Amino acid sequence: MKLKFIYAGAIIVGLELANVIGVFAQNARIKIDLDRTIGEVDEKIYGNFVEHLGRNVYGGIYDPGNPLSDEKGFRKDVLEAVKGLNVSLTRYPGGNFVSNYQWLDGVGPREDRPTRLELAWNRLESNEFGTNEFMEYAKLMGTQPYFAVNLGTGTIEEARRWVEYTNVASGPKYAELRKEHGYTEPHNIIYWSLGNEMDGPWQMGHLSAEDYSKKAREAGKLMKLTDPSIKLVAAGSSNFYPGADPMQWNKVVIDELKDVVDYLALHMYVGNVDDDYYSFVASPLVLEQRTRLVKGLIDEAMHRAERADRDPIYIAWDEYNIWYRWRTGDAMTGERALEERYNLEDALVIASFLNAFIRNSDVVKIANMAQLVNVIAPIFAEEDGMFLQTIYHPMALFANHVFGTALDVYVDSEKYDTGDFALGMGEQRADLKDVPYLDVSATYHGDEVIINVVNRHKDKAITTDIIAQEGAFTGEFEVYEVNGPDIKAENDFGKTNVETMKKSLKGKGDKITYSFPAHSFTLIKAKVQR
Ligand code: AHR
């Protein structure tokens, strides 16, 4: 009895104390309604990018003579890590590189391939690795290829010939040339982008929106006449610098090319330049704002289009990542260009980029993390080994688990304002209001709901009720968490501070409760019964 009395007393004291210190503040809430859908998740959002830049190709995926490489020169350890990313679509060969790339230099007998000055990143390009080597690597990766043609210094006929070389079975000159080179079957490359960042003054062969649209239209026409099955991606503008007018570029390009292209490409790099954690981890919301802005342009153009039966135009975020440390001076050129090292806060930003793609699954159908190895990359290799960067882990979790129909999730969590902050790209700035500490997306796939949660809070776990508005959780869960000792924790050779951990979760019925740890990304796969 006494014990009971003491226990009850302790509860009363505890309750009073709790009121004072706010322990019993309402839990955050995530409501899942299986009928509130956004769109199908296109697996092509789990893409990546191999540009001839720094040590991405040479000394990255390809290192002939290295004991860690196979007989073709592909690094076996790197390939194993690449496979873990389940890369759906790999963009090649650039980037800025492509705007002065002659694809014919990179095919045929190696001894005949010319070495060229590579002007985008100030290196020598041996052309030892080209179209066919990439296609062999793509097969090993299990990825679909996504080629970019040179609309900078290249001609529309060169672009057309590349499609003939890769996609036409036999007959015309370039198809026969491929066969002479030992590739009897066509590569059947479906996805082609019409140039890269052609709005940027840094781009070799930079054009105005009007001139680009004319050139892209004619190149696309010739390429499609050569292989009607291909899909085309127009170069959009992501150049949101003060004084630039990216939306005007995008409007012109969508208007002019709406009956030719299938996607509009956008790019985004962010960085924590002012060491302002809370603004940085909110920065993927800017990508989401831009997605909606461009979706509006597409909707408006399609509304005016006469052909109501034409396929929709989707958005391809075909370059995104964190890039600010290796962004000036020598870090931009030569052999070790763009060798950014990542920490935990970067991994949280990647998880939020992926959440943003899921939340916009109706219109974002392609996304490519830039890039694959060494160059702003999830995998970092030296001659004698490699390690997985922090950003590898959320990418791998999404690409291996998050499929199905994207759900419009209701999230109720505490919020914050960022105030004005540098986005990390040149002079671009943002100011975000009401940023929820919990960044959430979810999909419904088979009999499972997959819930992806970034807890942006630096210090506090957030206890959250996850409510099934229809059906019930059966009690079977798989839970994965990406986390580390602190937000600046990095990985290195022989040192793994940030990785994926398996967690457990108990509960069933229409409500489960989970505490999302501070500065973490959690993926919950929950079986549901409708
Ligand atoms: O990914 C690095 C570079 O960033 C790409 O070459 C270019 O397209 C972008 O500006």
Side-chain angles (χ1 to χ4, degrees):
M1 277 306 270
K2 203 171 174 210
L3 206 68
K4 256 191 178 169
F5 176 75
I6 292 168
Y7 181 54
I11 288 176
I12 292 164
V13 174
L15 278 172
E16 277 167 4
L17 217 77
N19 282 341
V20 177
I21 60 176
V23 171
F24 292 135
Q26 201 194 4
N27 289 351
R29 288 178 304 155
I30 295 174
K31 290 192 197 174
I32 308 277
D33 184 341
L34 304 181
D35 289 328
R36 293 186 73 91
T37 60
I38 300 169
E40 287 306 297
V41 173
D42 193 317
E43 64 167 26
K44 292 193 294 301
I45 64 170
Y46 304 128
N48 212 294
F49 180 24
V50 173
E51 177 166 4
H52 285 238
L53 197 182
R55 297 187 308 123
N56 196 350
V57 174
Y58 305 106
I61 61 175
Y62 177 74
D63 197 2
N66 187 315
L68 294 173
S69 300
D70 68 11
E71 69 291 350
K72 300 234 160 158
F74 298 134
R75 274 282 291 265
K76 288 184 281 187
D77 54 341
V78 171
L79 179 62
E80 277 319 298
V82 167
K83 282 185 185 163
L85 288 172
N86 198 21
V87 182
S88 52
L89 182 78
T90 306
R91 187 167 178 246
Y92 176 81
N96 296 340
F97 168 79
V98 81
S99 294
N100 194 28
Y101 178 56
Q102 311 301 315
W103 67 267
L104 261 173
D105 289 347
V107 294
R110 286 238 170 79
E111 58 280 13
D112 297 343
R113 300 189 193 177
T115 295
R116 303 264 189 212
L117 253 189
E118 200 289 283
L119 300 173
W121 306 105
N122 193 18
R123 12 176 305 274
L124 276 185
E125 173 55 59
S126 69
N127 283 304
E128 210 181 309
F129 188 100
T131 302
N132 297 313
E133 289 75 24
F134 176 76
M135 287 308 301
E136 288 196 24
Y137 195 72
K139 274 207 193 88
L140 296 174
M141 281 171 76
T143 189
Q144 283 206 69
Y146 166 27
F147 273 35
V149 298
N150 172 359
L151 287 195
T153 64
T155 68
I156 59 175
E157 173 57 10
E158 280 160 4
R160 191 207 67 76
R161 287 177 186 172
W162 206 3
V163 176
E164 184 180 304
Y165 182 88
T166 57
N167 287 14
V168 175
S170 59
K173 173 173 170 173
Y174 292 97
E176 292 300 319
L177 186 64
R178 183 201 65 244
K179 287 165 71 183
E180 266 171 44
H181 292 163
Y183 297 85
T184 47
E185 295 304 316
H187 295 310
N188 292 327
I189 296 161
I190 303 293
Y191 298 93
W192 292 84
S193 94
L194 298 166
N196 175 70
E197 294 185 350
M198 295 305 297
D199 63 309
W202 59 88
Q203 205 65 215
M204 293 176 278
H206 158 61
L207 296 167
S208 69
E210 290 74 15
D211 290 345
Y212 167 71
S213 301
K214 275 188 206 144
K215 189 167 181 182
R217 165 179 282 281
E218 294 311 306
K221 187 201 286 175
L222 267 67
M223 291 162 74
K224 275 210 168 176
L225 284 169
T226 305
D227 179 359
S229 73
I230 64 173
K231 302 273 182 205
L232 296 173
V233 184
S237 175
S238 315
N239 203 358
F240 282 73
Y241 297 95
D245 198 349
M247 293 302 276
Q248 180 57 22
W249 170 284
N250 291 331
K251 185 173 164 37
V252 171
V253 167
I254 294 167
D255 263 351
E256 295 296 322
L257 299 178
K258 61 179 177 289
D259 56 340
V260 180
V261 300
D262 305 279
Y263 301 85
L264 182 82
L266 298 174
H267 294 173
M268 183 155 188
Y269 295 99
V270 296
N272 192 2
V273 281
D274 296 331
D275 198 11
D276 171 3
Y277 167 82
Y278 279 110
S279 298
F280 179 51
V281 290
S283 57
L285 294 174
V286 177
L287 173 141
E288 207 156 352
Q289 288 174 344
R290 291 179 185 177
T291 300
R292 293 202 196 100
L293 282 175
V294 174
K295 180 180 179 332
L297 282 184
I298 294 172
D299 288 348
E300 194 262 346
M302 298 310 266
H303 179 70
R304 281 186 290 106
E306 275 165 25
R307 288 181 46 201
D309 61 337
R310 66 138 295 138
D311 290 339
I313 294 176
Y314 294 122
I315 293 175
W317 279 103
D318 66 12
E319 285 185 33
Y320 72 91
N321 208 339
I322 296 116
W323 174 24
Y324 66 105
R325 301 165 177 103
W326 286 60
R327 220 186 152 108
T328 50
D330 289 349
M332 287 286 277
T333 57
E335 202 206 328
R336 286 198 170 257
L338 279 61
E339 296 205 350
E340 195 103 355
R341 293 292 191 98
Y342 292 111
N343 60 23
L344 176 59
E345 64 187 21
D346 298 324
L348 301 182
V349 168
I350 290 300
S352 287
F353 272 135
L354 291 160
N355 269 348
F357 299 144
I358 300 289
R359 286 192 294 260
N360 292 276
S361 289
D362 54 332
V363 65
V364 177
K365 298 291 186 184
I366 286 180
N368 301 77
M369 174 186 263
Q371 302 193 8
L372 193 59
V373 185
N374 293 330
V375 172
I376 43 173
I379 298 164
F380 198 90
E382 293 287 1
E383 263 177 38
D384 53 354
M386 49 127 302
F387 73 92
L388 306 179
Q389 297 238 47
T390 62
I391 61 170
Y392 181 95
H393 297 287
M395 187 73 235
L397 280 176
F398 271 88
N400 285 290
H401 297 287
V402 187
F403 302 105
T405 308
L407 298 175
D408 184 6
V409 180
Y410 172 84
V411 181
D412 175 22
S413 91
E414 272 183 67
K415 300 185 171 73
Y416 64 93
D417 294 344
T418 61
D420 174 66
F421 70 100
L423 210 49
M425 309 154 68
E427 293 161 35
Q428 294 192 63
R429 304 193 71 80
D431 186 347
L432 299 163
K433 305 255 181 292
D434 290 331
V435 177
Y437 282 100
L438 293 187
D439 182 63
V440 186
S441 76
T443 65
Y444 183 41
H445 190 224
D447 59 353
E448 283 180 334
V449 173
I450 301 112
I451 308 162
N452 316 298
V453 181
V454 176
N455 178 3
R456 296 180 169 117
H457 208 294
K458 197 160 53 168
D459 313 301
K460 264 192 358 195
I462 300 185
T463 304
T464 307
D465 294 333
I466 305 175
I467 299 155
Q469 299 217 271
E470 204 209 295
F473 298 109
T474 65
E476 292 164 82
F477 303 100
E478 266 176 57
V479 184
Y480 302 94
E481 181 186 313
V482 178
N483 209 340
D486 63 83
I487 54 170
K488 300 294 181 191
E490 291 182 9
N491 295 342
D492 205 335
F493 291 96
K495 190 177 86 182
T496 304
N497 287 319
V498 177
E499 60 185 331
T500 300
M501 295 161 283
K502 271 199 150 188
K503 296 275 161 163
S504 63
L505 168 52
K506 288 201 175 17
K508 52 163 65 175
D510 60 5
K511 186 172 103 177
I512 53 175
T513 302
Y514 192 77
S515 178
F516 294 102
H519 53 63
S520 65
F521 166 59
T522 305
L523 184 152
I524 300 174
K525 279 176 108 169
K527 283 232 182 336
V528 285
Q529 210 162 34
R530 290 195 92 165

